[in-house]
Amino acid sequence: PKSDPVFGKRTLGAFKYGNLVQASIELVNDTKVDLTGWLADECGRSAGATLGADLINGDGVNKPAGLIGSVTAGVTGTAATPKADELIDLFYSVTAPYRASRQAAWLMKDSVMGSVRKLKSTDGQYLWQPALTADAPDILLSKPVHTDPFMPTTAAGAKSVLFGDMSRYTVRLAGGVRFERSDEYAFGNDLVTFRCLVRGDGLLVDQSGAIKAFVGA
């Protein structure tokens, strides 16, 4: 019999992140380094990191719906740290089309990666395969491994390792990054004010199991 696809309506907003930095007019005018360029880089990095943290852990209330709260468990471990067999089970908990996708990858914290890198198969071979070329990601069970500092560490109930088609999580950046200068905002104190703003949101659009998590016991 015929069937019709069922769609749900989801909204990607534009939550605003930013910071404000002030410098004396003497520093701005007298320095021989590119102060504006340095501040733009550092402020942009800071605002982006704050948005990045919410793209991982945001609860969807006045901030993005992060990956951790959106994915379901593929495997619940026997301990807080995943074992080799449990990572293999997590790999196959993702359905074949997502597992075979070119965007399929692992995501974990650096400290968790250190533990996973030591895992061996029953014949003593490391599951981990170092990258063969510079700037290429390392490989785990034929898929690239990426790290994010805002991923949870291993703990009971923590989703410390994710695997699946990461392209199913959509990130919207509205209007790009703004870096602006004002000589009037703190005119009375003879200060120059720099402001960095970025607006964005994230959403796991495909919630049919494209990305799964290892949950510690």
Side-chain angles (χ1 to χ4, degrees):
K2 71 173 185 177
S3 63
D4 295 322
V6 178
F7 292 92
K9 183 178 180 181
R10 306 296 299 275
T11 300
L12 275 167
F15 300 101
K16 186 180 290 186
Y17 297 82
N19 47 49
L20 206 67
V21 177
Q22 292 181 323
S24 68
I25 191 67
E26 292 83 5
L27 176 61
V28 173
N29 291 338
D30 298 347
T31 183
K32 297 302 181 182
V33 302
D34 181 13
L35 180 65
T36 301
W38 183 82
L39 284 174
D41 185 61
E42 293 302 313
C43 292
R45 191 189 310 274
S46 174
T50 308
L51 170 60
D54 285 346
L55 292 176
I56 295 293
N57 295 299
D59 57 9
V61 180
N62 296 324
K63 60 182 65 176
L67 261 174
I68 294 300
S70 301
V71 301
T72 58
V75 172
T76 299
T78 56
T81 302
K83 296 180 172 62
D85 287 351
E86 292 166 347
L87 289 181
I88 294 173
D89 290 340
L90 177 59
F91 182 87
Y92 286 102
S93 71
V94 176
T95 56
Y98 296 126
R99 196 171 65 234
S101 168
R102 296 181 63 180
Q103 285 75 38
W106 302 86
L107 186 64
M108 62 190 78
K109 198 180 188 75
D110 286 282
S111 60
V112 178
M113 178 185 275
S115 299
V116 171
R117 189 162 189 164
K118 301 170 187 174
L119 296 176
K120 298 179 181 179
S121 61
T122 53
D123 58 0
Q125 299 296 315
Y126 285 103
L127 297 181
W128 194 277
Q129 298 174 11
L132 297 178
T133 59
D135 300 323
D138 293 329
I139 300 298
L140 177 63
L141 299 175
S142 78
K143 294 298 180 180
V145 185
H146 303 294
T147 61
D148 191 291
F150 305 111
M151 281 288 292
T153 189
T154 52
K159 298 175 181 177
S160 57
V161 179
L162 303 183
F163 174 73
D165 186 349
M166 296 299 169
S167 69
R168 301 292 87 193
Y169 186 82
T170 299
V171 175
R172 178 192 181 211
L173 290 178
V177 180
R178 293 162 50 194
F179 184 73
E180 300 161 338
R181 168 178 171 163
S182 173
D183 294 333
E184 291 77 30
Y185 179 76
F187 177 78
N189 294 322
D190 205 21
L191 296 174
V192 179
T193 304
F194 297 93
R195 179 178 70 178
C196 181
L197 295 172
V198 59
R199 295 188 301 129
D201 195 6
L203 184 68
L204 184 59
V205 176
D206 187 336
Q207 300 197 350
S208 61
I211 304 174
K212 293 283 189 176
F214 165 83
V215 180

